[in-house]
Amino acid sequence: MRLLVLTSSWLLIILSSHLVEGQDIECFCSGVTSDCSEASMYWSTLRVPVRGDDSGFSLTDRDQSPLSDSIKPVFKWDTYELGYRYNPGDSEVYYWALPDEFLGSKVGAYGGNLTVLQKAVFRGDPVQDSEVIMTGNGLTLHYGLGGGTRVSGKPEKNKITLQEEGWFVLNSGVPVPATREEFMKVLSNIEALLVRATI
């Protein structure tokens, strides 16, 4: 039995992309054509600091179901932290739903990173569940099955590479590695991007 109390957390999400010169990657044209050519791409960084209750971040579960009124994010102006309090006896795993800036076509971010800065104050052992869930075009991809060593109150920086490696599809509850085609299909129209909030 685990007892977790998340009293505060903060997020700074960075979505960036980069292309490696000389890297040969198979063309992805969303099934529209088989005649592809090289695209002129550039990298950029999308930083979304959490500032205030109306920052666009919300809490949800892995199915994006509505939560009770007692599970709401609270912004602490004195520390610039967005957090929530995990209710004792609650066994649900919650996720931060990222704001609209992270949704839509993010094909240009392929090969880049999703960097998450987070701090949690808790007791007990971390649960094992998906670290990130990304949904789009009728497909849901998961990244990582966290639950490793974490230290209560210590800020953590996690960098998730936006390539198919490490991502998986759940097939009857069994993780199956995502293909490049599946990853690009989701990346071409992200409808939800969830980052685990429950430690």
Side-chain angles (χ1 to χ4, degrees):
M1 179 79 167
R2 63 182 171 76
L3 175 62
L4 299 172
V5 180
L6 182 64
T7 57
S8 65
S9 77
W10 49 272
L11 296 170
L12 169 61
I13 310 293
I14 302 170
L15 186 65
S16 63
S17 66
H18 67 278
L19 299 175
V20 178
E21 191 172 334
Q23 187 178 18
D24 190 20
I25 298 176
E26 184 180 328
C27 183
F28 178 78
C29 296
S30 303
V32 176
T33 182
S34 59
D35 184 25
C36 296
S37 60
E38 189 174 302
S40 297
M41 302 293 284
Y42 61 93
W43 70 271
S44 64
T45 300
L46 173 62
R47 295 175 193 262
V48 180
V50 179
R51 294 217 168 92
D53 292 322
D54 198 21
S55 62
F57 291 86
S58 62
L59 277 170
T60 188
D61 62 12
R62 66 175 24 246
D63 299 320
Q64 299 178 59
S65 303
L67 302 180
S68 74
D69 287 338
S70 66
I71 309 292
K72 295 286 182 197
V74 176
F75 184 75
K76 294 173 145 185
W77 284 99
D78 58 334
T79 59
Y80 281 90
E81 294 176 334
L82 183 65
Y84 78 99
R85 185 161 187 82
Y86 196 85
N87 295 323
D90 195 346
S91 61
E92 191 68 47
V93 176
Y94 298 115
Y95 289 84
W96 293 110
L98 302 192
D100 291 344
E101 292 92 330
F102 294 94
L103 307 182
S105 178
K106 299 297 179 196
V107 172
Y110 182 81
N113 298 302
L114 173 66
T115 304
V116 181
L117 302 174
Q118 224 171 6
K119 178 180 80 170
V121 176
F122 62 92
R123 291 182 306 220
D125 296 323
V127 295
Q128 187 172 2
D129 207 333
S130 302
E131 290 293 320
V132 179
I133 300 174
M134 184 167 56
T135 302
N137 283 323
L139 223 99
T140 299
L141 300 178
H142 300 256
Y143 182 87
L145 286 173
T149 306
R150 297 212 167 143
V151 179
S152 180
K154 180 181 177 188
E156 292 185 13
K157 180 178 180 180
N158 297 308
K159 189 183 284 190
I160 295 111
T161 302
L162 294 174
Q163 285 183 306
E164 57 277 10
E165 291 85 15
W167 291 82
F168 58 91
V169 178
L170 286 177
N171 187 352
S172 300
V174 177
V176 176
T179 65
R180 182 168 185 273
E181 184 177 343
E182 289 170 329
F183 192 82
M184 294 301 287
K185 185 176 181 180
V186 173
L187 207 57
S188 70
N189 183 28
I190 299 173
E191 296 162 9
L193 187 53
L194 311 178
V195 175
R196 197 169 87 169
T198 303
I199 303 301

